[in-house]
C-alpha cells in the first residue's frame, strides 16, 4: 500500500458536468486543483441534453463553446416540440423553433443554447483538462474519508485500479458528488424536500429509421398524450438515439420498455433498447452551501425537475460564482467575507429555478387525458382541438424559450451595492439590465467580440462618460493596486451600449455580474472596492473545527 501525499489548492469530488466545469473555471482562474471521480469517465446514460445559454456563455469564457457546438448535434435537425397522441399518431400542438442552421442570434446573448448530451459534453471537458498523470482529473479514484482542519482538508483516496491509497492535502474542497452527496451528508448538512419525490424510468433506445419515416413531421421532443404514456420522448443525438421517460407502474415495479416504446410510437419502425434505468426526481436545496472550507456545488446543493432544462444549468451557474471567489481568496486579495456570499447569492437562485421547473412539471402532469383522445372519432378530434387551444392560450412554448429563467436572476449580498428600484423578478418580463447583482448586459463591441468577453479574471470598470476627469479612474486603479485587487477599465464610446448599461460607470465582477454602478465614482474608492471584495466586515462567520468524516460507500 502506498501512502502518497499530494498537495493542491482545491480538491473537487465528482466528475459530472458541474464538477468538470468547476475544474475548468479554477484552471481558467490560475488555481491549482485536482478532480477525483470513482468512475472511468465513460458516460453510458447521457442525462444532460441541452446546455443553456448562460452555461454556453461560460463555455465561451473558457474557450470551449465551439467544441460543444461541434460535438455532434446536426445543425439542420429540427428543434420543434410536438404534443402527440403517439409518434406517427395524431398531432395536437407544435411549438416551432428554427434549427441551429436557420436560427439567428438573439440580441441578449452571443451564445444561444446547444443540444449536447452528456456523453459528448464530458469528453470535451476531459480533453481540455487532461487526465492524470498529464492533467487535473483522476479517474477511478474514490474518496474514502476526509478531515477538516484550520489549514484545510486532508482527504484519503483509493485508486480503484491499483488499490493504492493517496492522501491529498487541499486548502478547499468542492463537493460535486451528486444528489446523494456523501460529502454533504458527512458534513451533517440536510437538503429538505420542497415537493414530493417521484419515481421515473429513463429508457434509451436506438430507432435508426424514425427520423426518415417522420420526415418533415419529426420533432426534437414529443410530449406523449395518451392513456398509457404521458411523458416526453426526446431525440438524444439527432441521429438514431432517443430517450423515453416513463412513470413506473402504480405498484412501483419497472414497466416493460418495449411495450412502452410501442405505445409511444405507433408507426412500424425497428428499435433496440440500450438501457432502462430507474431514477428518482427530488426537489431539494441544501440548508447550507458551505461548511468551513468545504462547498457544495451542483446536485449536491440542489436537485430539481428536468422540466425546462434548468437542472444542470443551475449547477453551471454555481461554478463561476464560487470559482472567482476561491481564486481571489487563494491569491490573497479577497476579504474574509467573500466566500460566505457564495451561499447567500446562489441558494435563492436554486429555490427560484426549482419552483420554475416544478411549475413546468405540474402543468404536464395535471393535464387530463380522456381515453377518446387517441380515437379518429369526432369526439377525439374535438378533444385534441380544445387541448391545442388551451396550450396556445397558456403559451406552453415559453417552457422551452425561457431566457428570463437563465438570465433574469439577481444576486443580493453584502458584496453587491444596490441602487434604486430593482427590475422585475418575473422571468417573463426580463430585459437586460445593469442593475447591481444582474448579469452585465451583452452587446457587440465589434464583430465577434461581446461585452461579456471583457469579463473573467478581474473586476472591470465600464466607463461610458468621457467628460469626467481621467484621474478619478486612475485613482481607482491605485486603490485597487494597494489591495492587490485586479482591475481593468474599459472606455466605451458607443451610445447604444451606454444606454444599455444605464450609468456612466458600471463595475463588473469576474463572474460577469454587476457589483456597483453610478454616474460618478464615489469619493471613498477604498470603501467601494472593500465592499465588493468581501472585506467590509472583517469577521468571518465560519467556525473552524477539526472533524473526521467517513464515507459510506453504499450511499
Amino acid at each position: 500500500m502506498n501512502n502518497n501525499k499530494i498537495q493542491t489548492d482545491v480538491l473537487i469530488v465528482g466528475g459530472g458536468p458541474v464538477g468538470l466545469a468547476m475544474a475548468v473555471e479554477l484552471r481558467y482562474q490560475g488555481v491549482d486543483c485536482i478532480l477525483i471521480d470513482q468512475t472511468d469517465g465513460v458516460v453510458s446514460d447521457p442525462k444532460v441534453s441541452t446546455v443553456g445559454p448562460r452555461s454556453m456563455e461560460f463555455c465561451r469564457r473558457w474557450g470551449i463553446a465551439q467544441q460543444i457546438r461541434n460535438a455532434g448535434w446536426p445543425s439542420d435537425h429540427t428543434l420543434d416540440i410536438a404534443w402527440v397522441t403517439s409518434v406517427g399518431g395524431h398531432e395536437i400542438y407544435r411549438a416551432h423553433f428554427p434549427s441551429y442552421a436557420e436560427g439567428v442570434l438573439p440580441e441578449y446573448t452571443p451564445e444561444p443554447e446547444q443540444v449536447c448530451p452528456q456523453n459528448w459534453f464530458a469528453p470535451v471537458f476531459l480533453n481540455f483538462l487532461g487526465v492524470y498523470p498529464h492533467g487535473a482529473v483522476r479517474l477511478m479514484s474514490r474518496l474514502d474519508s476526509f478531515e477538516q482542519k484550520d489549514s484545510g482538508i486532508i482527504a484519503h483516496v483509493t485508486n480503484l485500479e491499483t488499490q493504492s491509497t493517496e492522501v491529498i492535502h487541499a486548502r478547499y474542497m468542492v463537493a460535486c458528488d451528486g444528489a446523494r452527496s456523501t460529502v454533504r451528508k458527512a458534513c451533517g448538512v440536510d437538503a429538505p424536500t420542497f415537493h414530493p419525490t417521484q419515481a421515473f424510468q429513463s429508457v434509451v433506445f436506438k430507432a435508426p429509421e424514425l427520423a426518415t419515416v417522420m420526415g418533415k413531421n419529426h420533432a426534437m421532443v414529443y410530449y406523449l398524450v395518451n392513456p398509457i404514456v404521458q411523458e416526453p420522448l426526446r431525440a438524444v443525438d439527432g441521429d438514431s438515439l432517443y430517450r423515453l421517460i416513463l412513470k413506473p407502474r402504480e405498484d412501483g415495479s419497472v414497466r416493460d420498455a418495449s411495450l412502452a416504446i410501442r405505445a409511444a410510437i405507433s408507426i412500424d419502425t425497428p428499435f433496440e433498447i440500450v438501457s432502462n434505468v430507474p431514477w428518482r426526481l427530488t426537489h431539494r436545496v441544501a440548508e447550507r452551501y458551505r461548511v468551513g472550507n468545504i462547498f457544495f456545488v451542483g446536485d449536491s446543493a440542489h436537485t430539481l425537475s428536468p422540466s425546462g432544462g434548468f437542472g444542470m444549468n443551475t449547477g453551471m451557474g454555481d461554478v463561476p460564482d464560487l470559482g472567482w471567489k476561491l481564486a481571489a481568496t487563494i491569491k490573497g486579495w479577497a476579504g474574509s467575507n467573500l466566500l460566505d456570499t457564495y451561499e447567500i447569492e446562489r441558494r435563492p437562485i436554486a429555490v427560484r429555478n426549482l419552483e420554475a421547473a416544478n411549475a413546468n412539471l405540474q402543468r404536464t402532469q395535471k393535464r387530463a387525458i380522456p381515453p377518446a383522445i387517441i380515437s379518429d372519432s369526432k369526439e377525439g378530434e374535438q378533444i385534441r382541438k380544445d387541448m391545442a387551444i388551451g396550450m396556445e392560450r397558456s403559451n406552453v412554448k415559453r417552457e422551452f424559450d425561457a431566457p428570463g429563467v437563465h438570465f433574469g436572476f439577481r444576486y443580493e449580498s453584502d458584496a453587491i451595492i444596490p441602487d434604486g428600484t430593482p427590475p422585475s423578478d418575473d422571468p417573463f418580463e426580463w430585459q437586460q439590465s445593469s442593475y447591481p447583482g444582474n448579469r452585465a448586459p451583452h452587446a457587440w463591441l465589434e464583430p465577434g467580440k461581446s461585452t461579456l468577453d471583457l469579463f473573467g479574471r478581474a473586476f472591470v470598470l465600464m466607463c461610458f462618460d468621457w467628460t469626467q476627469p481621467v484621474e478619478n479612474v486612475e485613482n481607482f486603479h491605485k486603490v485597487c493596486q494597494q489591495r492587490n485587487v485586479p482591475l481593468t477599465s474599459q472606455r466605451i464610446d458607443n451610445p447604444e451600449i451606454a444606454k444599455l448599461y444605464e450609468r456612466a460607470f458600471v463595475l463588473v465582477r469576474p463572474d460577469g455580474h454587476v457589483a456597483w454602478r453610478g454616474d460618478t465614482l464615489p469619493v471613498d474608492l477604498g470603501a467601494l472596492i472593500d465592499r465588493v471584495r468581501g472585506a467590509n466586515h472583517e469577521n468571518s462567520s465560519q467556525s473552524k473545527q477539526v472533524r473526521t468524516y467517513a464515507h459510506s460507500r453504499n450511499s
Side-chain angles (χ1 to χ4, degrees), residues 265-279:
I265 303 174
S266 59
I267 51 178
D268 187 20
T269 189
F271 64 84
E272 174 194 347
I273 296 168
V274 176
S275 62
N276 182 5
V277 180
W279 59 282

PDB file of all heavy atoms in Angstrom, residues 265-279:
ATOM      1  N   ILE A 265     -44.727   5.030 -29.955  1.00  0.00           N
ATOM      2  CA  ILE A 265     -44.502   5.141 -31.407  1.00  0.00           C
ATOM      3  C   ILE A 265     -45.489   4.207 -32.104  1.00  0.00           C
ATOM      4  O   ILE A 265     -45.387   2.983 -31.996  1.00  0.00           O
ATOM      5  CB  ILE A 265     -43.052   4.762 -31.772  1.00  0.00           C
ATOM      6  CG1 ILE A 265     -42.047   5.636 -31.001  1.00  0.00           C
ATOM      7  CG2 ILE A 265     -42.826   4.912 -33.272  1.00  0.00           C
ATOM      8  CD1 ILE A 265     -40.598   5.239 -31.201  1.00  0.00           C
ATOM      9  N   SER A 266     -46.432   4.791 -32.844  1.00  0.00           N
ATOM     10  CA  SER A 266     -47.487   3.970 -33.455  1.00  0.00           C
ATOM     11  C   SER A 266     -47.148   3.520 -34.872  1.00  0.00           C
ATOM     12  O   SER A 266     -47.868   2.724 -35.464  1.00  0.00           O
ATOM     13  CB  SER A 266     -48.811   4.735 -33.457  1.00  0.00           C
ATOM     14  OG  SER A 266     -48.674   5.950 -34.168  1.00  0.00           O
ATOM     15  N   ILE A 267     -46.056   4.012 -35.423  1.00  0.00           N
ATOM     16  CA  ILE A 267     -45.650   3.566 -36.761  1.00  0.00           C
ATOM     17  C   ILE A 267     -44.690   2.387 -36.621  1.00  0.00           C
ATOM     18  O   ILE A 267     -44.003   2.252 -35.610  1.00  0.00           O
ATOM     19  CB  ILE A 267     -44.994   4.719 -37.563  1.00  0.00           C
ATOM     20  CG1 ILE A 267     -43.877   5.381 -36.742  1.00  0.00           C
ATOM     21  CG2 ILE A 267     -46.021   5.737 -38.005  1.00  0.00           C
ATOM     22  CD1 ILE A 267     -43.164   6.486 -37.477  1.00  0.00           C
ATOM     23  N   ASP A 268     -44.656   1.570 -37.637  1.00  0.00           N
ATOM     24  CA  ASP A 268     -43.815   0.372 -37.601  1.00  0.00           C
ATOM     25  C   ASP A 268     -42.382   0.752 -37.952  1.00  0.00           C
ATOM     26  O   ASP A 268     -42.076   1.043 -39.116  1.00  0.00           O
ATOM     27  CB  ASP A 268     -44.362  -0.675 -38.580  1.00  0.00           C
ATOM     28  CG  ASP A 268     -43.611  -2.005 -38.460  1.00  0.00           C
ATOM     29  OD1 ASP A 268     -42.977  -2.211 -37.404  1.00  0.00           O
ATOM     30  OD2 ASP A 268     -43.668  -2.802 -39.410  1.00  0.00           O
ATOM     31  N   THR A 269     -41.526   0.800 -36.943  1.00  0.00           N
ATOM     32  CA  THR A 269     -40.121   1.132 -37.178  1.00  0.00           C
ATOM     33  C   THR A 269     -39.272   0.328 -36.206  1.00  0.00           C
ATOM     34  O   THR A 269     -39.654   0.135 -35.053  1.00  0.00           O
ATOM     35  CB  THR A 269     -39.862   2.649 -37.011  1.00  0.00           C
ATOM     36  OG1 THR A 269     -38.539   2.965 -37.443  1.00  0.00           O
ATOM     37  CG2 THR A 269     -40.045   3.107 -35.578  1.00  0.00           C
ATOM     38  N   PRO A 270     -38.142  -0.210 -36.643  1.00  0.00           N
ATOM     39  CA  PRO A 270     -37.320  -1.036 -35.742  1.00  0.00           C
ATOM     40  C   PRO A 270     -36.675  -0.203 -34.631  1.00  0.00           C
ATOM     41  O   PRO A 270     -36.346   0.972 -34.829  1.00  0.00           O
ATOM     42  CB  PRO A 270     -36.256  -1.626 -36.669  1.00  0.00           C
ATOM     43  CG  PRO A 270     -36.188  -0.696 -37.838  1.00  0.00           C
ATOM     44  CD  PRO A 270     -37.560  -0.123 -38.004  1.00  0.00           C
ATOM     45  N   PHE A 271     -36.527  -0.811 -33.462  1.00  0.00           N
ATOM     46  CA  PHE A 271     -35.828  -0.138 -32.369  1.00  0.00           C
ATOM     47  C   PHE A 271     -35.061  -1.154 -31.541  1.00  0.00           C
ATOM     48  O   PHE A 271     -35.382  -2.350 -31.531  1.00  0.00           O
ATOM     49  CB  PHE A 271     -36.796   0.669 -31.485  1.00  0.00           C
ATOM     50  CG  PHE A 271     -37.826  -0.151 -30.763  1.00  0.00           C
ATOM     51  CD1 PHE A 271     -37.538  -0.760 -29.551  1.00  0.00           C
ATOM     52  CD2 PHE A 271     -39.103  -0.323 -31.304  1.00  0.00           C
ATOM     53  CE1 PHE A 271     -38.483  -1.515 -28.884  1.00  0.00           C
ATOM     54  CE2 PHE A 271     -40.056  -1.066 -30.639  1.00  0.00           C
ATOM     55  CZ  PHE A 271     -39.749  -1.665 -29.425  1.00  0.00           C
ATOM     56  N   GLU A 272     -34.056  -0.672 -30.849  1.00  0.00           N
ATOM     57  CA  GLU A 272     -33.214  -1.508 -29.989  1.00  0.00           C
ATOM     58  C   GLU A 272     -33.009  -0.783 -28.670  1.00  0.00           C
ATOM     59  O   GLU A 272     -32.544   0.366 -28.655  1.00  0.00           O
ATOM     60  CB  GLU A 272     -31.857  -1.758 -30.664  1.00  0.00           C
ATOM     61  CG  GLU A 272     -30.852  -2.508 -29.795  1.00  0.00           C
ATOM     62  CD  GLU A 272     -29.437  -2.449 -30.357  1.00  0.00           C
ATOM     63  OE1 GLU A 272     -29.274  -2.040 -31.528  1.00  0.00           O
ATOM     64  OE2 GLU A 272     -28.507  -2.795 -29.603  1.00  0.00           O
ATOM     65  N   ILE A 273     -33.353  -1.420 -27.566  1.00  0.00           N
ATOM     66  CA  ILE A 273     -33.226  -0.797 -26.245  1.00  0.00           C
ATOM     67  C   ILE A 273     -31.762  -0.814 -25.808  1.00  0.00           C
ATOM     68  O   ILE A 273     -31.094  -1.845 -25.846  1.00  0.00           O
ATOM     69  CB  ILE A 273     -34.114  -1.516 -25.214  1.00  0.00           C
ATOM     70  CG1 ILE A 273     -35.593  -1.349 -25.595  1.00  0.00           C
ATOM     71  CG2 ILE A 273     -33.875  -0.971 -23.807  1.00  0.00           C
ATOM     72  CD1 ILE A 273     -36.530  -2.234 -24.816  1.00  0.00           C
ATOM     73  N   VAL A 274     -31.267   0.355 -25.413  1.00  0.00           N
ATOM     74  CA  VAL A 274     -29.883   0.494 -24.949  1.00  0.00           C
ATOM     75  C   VAL A 274     -29.820   0.374 -23.435  1.00  0.00           C
ATOM     76  O   VAL A 274     -28.952  -0.297 -22.877  1.00  0.00           O
ATOM     77  CB  VAL A 274     -29.290   1.838 -25.414  1.00  0.00           C
ATOM     78  CG1 VAL A 274     -27.882   2.036 -24.848  1.00  0.00           C
ATOM     79  CG2 VAL A 274     -29.274   1.921 -26.942  1.00  0.00           C
ATOM     80  N   SER A 275     -30.742   1.041 -22.728  1.00  0.00           N
ATOM     81  CA  SER A 275     -30.751   0.986 -21.268  1.00  0.00           C
ATOM     82  C   SER A 275     -32.149   1.308 -20.751  1.00  0.00           C
ATOM     83  O   SER A 275     -32.952   1.959 -21.437  1.00  0.00           O
ATOM     84  CB  SER A 275     -29.728   1.962 -20.666  1.00  0.00           C
ATOM     85  OG  SER A 275     -30.045   3.299 -21.015  1.00  0.00           O
ATOM     86  N   ASN A 276     -32.424   0.836 -19.553  1.00  0.00           N
ATOM     87  CA  ASN A 276     -33.705   1.094 -18.881  1.00  0.00           C
ATOM     88  C   ASN A 276     -33.373   1.320 -17.415  1.00  0.00           C
ATOM     89  O   ASN A 276     -33.224   0.369 -16.652  1.00  0.00           O
ATOM     90  CB  ASN A 276     -34.655  -0.091 -19.074  1.00  0.00           C
ATOM     91  CG  ASN A 276     -36.016   0.150 -18.447  1.00  0.00           C
ATOM     92  OD1 ASN A 276     -36.297   1.227 -17.935  1.00  0.00           O
ATOM     93  ND2 ASN A 276     -36.857  -0.872 -18.471  1.00  0.00           N
ATOM     94  N   VAL A 277     -33.208   2.584 -17.024  1.00  0.00           N
ATOM     95  CA  VAL A 277     -32.652   2.925 -15.714  1.00  0.00           C
ATOM     96  C   VAL A 277     -33.697   3.635 -14.853  1.00  0.00           C
ATOM     97  O   VAL A 277     -34.219   4.683 -15.255  1.00  0.00           O
ATOM     98  CB  VAL A 277     -31.414   3.837 -15.866  1.00  0.00           C
ATOM     99  CG1 VAL A 277     -30.826   4.188 -14.513  1.00  0.00           C
ATOM    100  CG2 VAL A 277     -30.357   3.169 -16.749  1.00  0.00           C
ATOM    101  N   PRO A 278     -34.017   3.089 -13.672  1.00  0.00           N
ATOM    102  CA  PRO A 278     -34.919   3.808 -12.773  1.00  0.00           C
ATOM    103  C   PRO A 278     -34.209   4.984 -12.105  1.00  0.00           C
ATOM    104  O   PRO A 278     -32.995   4.920 -11.853  1.00  0.00           O
ATOM    105  CB  PRO A 278     -35.306   2.743 -11.741  1.00  0.00           C
ATOM    106  CG  PRO A 278     -34.192   1.757 -11.754  1.00  0.00           C
ATOM    107  CD  PRO A 278     -33.606   1.779 -13.141  1.00  0.00           C
ATOM    108  N   TRP A 279     -34.932   6.045 -11.849  1.00  0.00           N
ATOM    109  CA  TRP A 279     -34.351   7.188 -11.133  1.00  0.00           C
ATOM    110  C   TRP A 279     -35.442   7.915 -10.348  1.00  0.00           C
ATOM    111  O   TRP A 279     -36.626   7.743 -10.617  1.00  0.00           O
ATOM    112  CB  TRP A 279     -33.627   8.149 -12.077  1.00  0.00           C
ATOM    113  CG  TRP A 279     -34.472   8.750 -13.174  1.00  0.00           C
ATOM    114  CD1 TRP A 279     -34.855   8.136 -14.331  1.00  0.00           C
ATOM    115  CD2 TRP A 279     -35.052  10.062 -13.217  1.00  0.00           C
ATOM    116  NE1 TRP A 279     -35.623   8.980 -15.101  1.00  0.00           N
ATOM    117  CE2 TRP A 279     -35.758  10.168 -14.440  1.00  0.00           C
ATOM    118  CE3 TRP A 279     -35.028  11.157 -12.362  1.00  0.00           C
ATOM    119  CZ2 TRP A 279     -36.432  11.325 -14.816  1.00  0.00           C
ATOM    120  CZ3 TRP A 279     -35.705  12.319 -12.738  1.00  0.00           C
ATOM    121  CH2 TRP A 279     -36.390  12.397 -13.955  1.00  0.00           C
TER     122      TRP A 279
END
